[in-house]
Amino acid sequence: MIYLLALIVLVTLAVLLWKAFGPDLQRPAGRVQGPDDDPEFLWKVDRQNHRRTGDTSDGTPGDPTE
């Protein structure tokens, strides 16, 4: 029983020392943003959809060659 307790203490100490003095892993500074979260990308896709269907921003049909 004492050996099991000693093992648990040693493992805990090893983990704490590793966290304190181990290699410093750098994480990315910001959140990685996919194209479906990017407002500019979504705006471009929306604009292409409107051009493809021939709609203008006010809802009236427009010339698709514009």
Side-chain angles (χ1 to χ4, degrees), residues 6-54:
L7 180 65
I8 291 172
V9 169
L10 284 175
V11 168
T12 303
L13 263 173
V15 169
L16 290 175
L17 287 172
W18 179 263
K19 294 264 188 192
F21 302 110
D24 188 24
L25 301 176
Q26 297 293 328
R27 293 188 178 172
R31 190 180 126 221
V32 177
Q33 191 175 41
D36 56 339
D37 293 334
D38 184 15
E40 185 177 337
F41 173 79
L42 294 173
W43 178 78
K44 286 179 183 178
V45 169
D46 189 45
R47 189 175 67 171
Q48 288 173 354
N49 277 343
H50 283 296
R51 284 186 178 175
R52 196 173 303 131
T53 60

